[in-house]
Amino acid sequence: MAKQFSKIRSAAIDGRAHNPFYRKVQLKKLHDKLADHATDIQKAIADDTGHRPAEVKAEYWLALRCVAESYTSIDPEQHLRDEYAIAASKDAPSAREPVGIVVIEPTTHTFVFSLLSALSPALAAGNCVIIQVDQTMLKTPRLLLEIVESALDRDIVQVTSKKATDSDIGYRHVRVLQNGSPEPQLANHLVSRPEARVVAVVERDADLEAAAEVLVRARFGLRGKSPYAPDVVLVNEWVKKDFLSAVAQCSIRFMPDAGDVTPASASRRKEGKGFLDEVAKEGLAKIVSSGAHGSVLEIEDRGSFVIQRKLRESCLAIHTVTSMDDAIDLSKSLGRLAASFVFTTTPEAAKYMCQFLDSDLSFVNQIPASLLFGPVSPQGKPLDMESFTRYDTPLFTLPKPQFVSRPVHTRVLDSILRGSSPRDLQRLDDEATARLPEPKRLKKGGDIGFFSQGIVTGGIVVLSTGVTCAGVLCYYAVKFARPRLQGLL
């Protein structure tokens, strides 16, 4: 066992952070320290990333809301009720206990929010934490980690730049891998998929101006680095021209200020030029517009590298599809999506798309702004959009239900197994083999089934056609016969 983690290991074994009042004190200290350094933190974020002032303040706000939400979630009274439930002869079916140690490998994208969205619920759950961060020249990680270490007790949090192996930790733990992992996912790993694609679909009946506004903001915001920004927008061929026009209008507001000459923005412009040079060299996409704010591309061939890889540039890639099914087939070729955004005014079409797009998340006519900050939601875990964090506190705990009372079926089995008559055993068999009721199918449109509706519809079409033809024949017959009848009369 590594000596460098001995304090963390000892604190986890002793249950140093199990006390709910202790956890609330630690989270309050962290929140106070972060609030005291608000100006320094926001300046470091701006210098490192070149994000717009509103984006910097939004990240800082989200990060502190994570800490506040975790602080509020701790209920000392409920904790005591669960702890002493057995002593009061009551069941505690929902009782849980901390895992012990949480190892966090934060992503560099919106680092402050990404780290605190995992650190806060891990502490609120009663765990000790190891933060594993690579050495960097960026200001934000160094400043934030110094604040975290100074605010929290050294026995429950430790920062390291070395790989913390299972043998080094030497105790039960959970790993938060926000940068993904090439290794098979284990039960104690919360793994994000930063390379998973994100697709937006704009149907022919969509509100094009509203869709363009949302998509431009998501793609050009945060310098195009958000893992939830749409990698490709699939637009119905009937509205492609109007959508491109709407995108051109919306993208103007993301033009940088005249004084935007920070090192981060200069580096971004250089990266953008290199990306567009690569696009021009490939020749499978057309540059619709380009500027310091970003670029808009029309992908003309599905073999283009722009579709086949994860975008990290401030670039809105648009490709034409012929139908909803065409969009679904293309998206499935990209693997399981991290998220999909569907734009349509028809609820039935939205339902169809959300049902058949192979995606972890689906949103209709929206891209939540908070989704663009932080890492991709851990694989296989539901995302609560009402919460500020990407990680719920229960993810860092283990179920530990405790029972005093006995279920009814257990009492029955106990009496049978202790000794029973053949009549009792036969009654047990009868109950086990009792036939289940026949399932009742849900009916739509009265008592007419789906196929019956098709038959009826077809019959109506044929009948109406026949009546129309008969009416036309009668009209011409009368028209032809009238002069002859008048001559006879």
Side-chain angles (χ1 to χ4, degrees):
M1 294 184 183
K3 186 178 180 180
Q4 62 173 329
F5 300 127
S6 58
K7 287 186 177 181
I8 294 290
R9 185 165 50 248
S10 298
I13 294 172
D14 295 342
R16 196 78 49 85
H18 286 202
N19 186 291
F21 294 100
Y22 176 84
R23 285 180 258 160
K24 288 184 83 77
V25 169
Q26 292 299 305
L27 286 168
K28 186 181 185 319
K29 286 182 178 180
L30 178 59
H31 189 275
D32 290 347
K33 205 78 172 181
L34 292 168
D36 292 340
H37 290 81
T39 302
D40 295 336
I41 294 173
Q42 293 181 43
K43 184 178 185 304
I45 295 173
D47 291 344
D48 286 342
T49 63
H51 290 167
R52 295 182 298 136
E55 294 170 341
V56 173
K57 289 192 176 294
E59 180 186 354
Y60 177 78
W61 179 79
L62 284 169
L64 266 68
R65 291 306 302 162
C66 285
V67 181
E69 184 179 65
S70 297
Y71 173 88
T72 306
S73 69
I74 301 173
D75 185 351
E77 292 183 1
Q78 183 61 47
H79 182 272
L80 288 175
R81 284 194 292 269
D82 290 341
E83 182 179 354
Y84 289 95
I86 297 297
S89 299
K90 296 181 179 179
D91 293 338
S94 59
R96 305 183 73 88
E97 65 177 355
V99 169
I101 296 175
V102 176
V103 183
I104 303 175
E105 297 182 24
T107 182
T108 56
H109 171 66
T110 54
F111 180 84
V112 176
F113 173 68
S114 295
L115 174 58
L116 293 178
S117 69
L119 175 63
S120 300
L123 293 173
N127 296 285
C128 300
V129 178
I130 297 173
I131 304 173
Q132 183 177 306
V133 182
D134 294 334
Q135 293 183 346
T136 177
M137 297 297 293
L138 296 175
K139 299 177 183 178
T140 308
R142 295 201 306 271
L143 175 60
L144 181 62
L145 294 175
E146 288 175 3
I147 292 173
V148 169
E149 287 187 302
S150 64
L152 302 174
D153 288 353
R154 290 299 182 95
D155 290 341
I156 65 169
V157 65
Q158 184 171 344
V159 177
T160 180
S161 60
K162 297 182 180 179
K163 175 71 174 178
T165 64
D166 292 352
S167 59
D168 290 337
I169 299 169
Y171 191 66
R172 189 176 61 200
H173 63 279
V174 165
R175 290 183 182 273
V176 179
L177 307 175
Q178 295 183 355
N179 297 304
S181 174
E183 302 174 358
Q185 183 175 350
L186 302 179
N188 66 328
H189 288 182
L190 298 176
V191 185
S192 298
R193 298 190 300 140
E195 297 302 320
R197 311 293 177 76
V198 177
V199 169
V201 181
V202 179
E203 256 302 291
R204 62 191 297 178
D205 66 334
D207 184 335
L208 298 183
E209 291 186 1
E213 171 76 22
V214 172
L215 291 167
V216 167
R217 174 175 55 82
R219 187 67 259 178
F220 291 169
L222 297 170
R223 304 302 192 191
K225 303 296 184 183
S226 174
Y228 276 120
D231 296 296
V232 61
V233 180
L234 305 179
V235 183
N236 188 283
E237 59 184 352
W238 291 90
V239 295
K240 181 191 71 173
K241 183 178 179 180
D242 292 338
F243 179 72
L244 287 174
S245 177
V247 166
Q249 293 295 323
C250 293
S251 63
I252 296 175
R253 71 191 60 185
F254 281 87
M255 291 291 288
D257 298 332
D260 183 15
V261 290
T262 63
S265 63
S267 174
R268 170 175 167 270
R269 292 172 187 176
K270 184 177 180 181
E271 291 176 1
K273 185 177 184 304
F275 172 74
L276 293 179
D277 289 343
E278 190 176 355
V279 170
K281 182 178 180 181
E282 183 189 44
L284 299 180
K286 180 172 65 177
I287 301 174
V288 177
S289 66
S290 177
H293 62 290
S295 56
V296 178
L297 302 181
E298 182 182 353
I299 311 301
E300 299 174 328
D301 191 300
R302 297 183 181 183
S304 173
F305 77 92
V306 180
I307 289 183
Q308 301 304 321
R309 81 174 192 190
K310 182 74 176 176
L311 282 184
R312 301 293 183 189
E313 295 80 14
S314 184
C315 168
L316 186 65
I318 300 171
H319 181 66
T320 305
V321 291
T322 58
S323 64
M324 290 188 291
D325 290 328
D326 187 27
I328 292 171
D329 292 341
L330 176 55
S331 68
K332 286 186 175 181
S333 70
L334 304 177
R336 184 166 179 82
L337 306 174
S340 59
F341 307 112
V342 178
F343 294 88
T344 177
T345 56
T346 307
E348 292 79 8
K351 176 264 180 188
Y352 182 82
M353 295 293 292
C354 291
Q355 179 177 352
F356 291 103
L357 285 170
D358 188 14
S359 174
D360 291 343
L361 299 169
S362 293
F363 296 89
V364 179
N365 295 325
Q366 62 169 319
I367 300 179
S370 61
L371 191 70
L372 302 175
F373 295 82
V376 173
S377 183
Q379 192 173 357
K381 309 298 181 184
L383 177 63
D384 181 7
M385 288 304 300
E386 296 299 323
S387 173
F388 287 97
T389 68
R390 288 283 191 271
Y391 306 89
D392 294 332
T393 302
L395 292 176
F396 304 110
T397 61
L398 297 173
K400 194 179 181 179
Q402 302 165 26
F403 301 97
V404 173
S405 59
R406 291 190 301 162
V408 175
H409 67 268
T410 298
R411 293 199 296 268
V412 172
L413 288 177
D414 285 345
S415 64
I416 291 291
L417 295 175
R418 280 197 303 266
S420 54
S421 65
R423 183 177 179 181
D424 293 332
L425 296 178
Q426 182 59 46
R427 186 168 63 250
L428 206 64
D429 277 345
D430 292 342
E431 290 183 5
T433 58
R435 301 300 179 183
L436 300 177
E438 292 294 330
K440 295 182 179 180
R441 295 185 179 275
L442 297 177
K443 295 181 179 180
K444 184 176 181 181
D447 294 330
I448 301 177
F450 177 79
F451 292 105
S452 299
Q453 282 183 333
I455 295 173
V456 171
T457 302
I460 292 173
V461 171
V462 172
L463 182 62
S464 61
T465 303
V467 171
T468 302
C469 292
V472 172
L473 289 175
C474 289
Y475 170 78
Y476 283 106
V478 171
K479 184 178 180 181
F480 178 77
R482 180 176 296 173
R484 294 176 178 271
L485 290 174
Q486 291 176 347
L488 292 175
L489 293 176

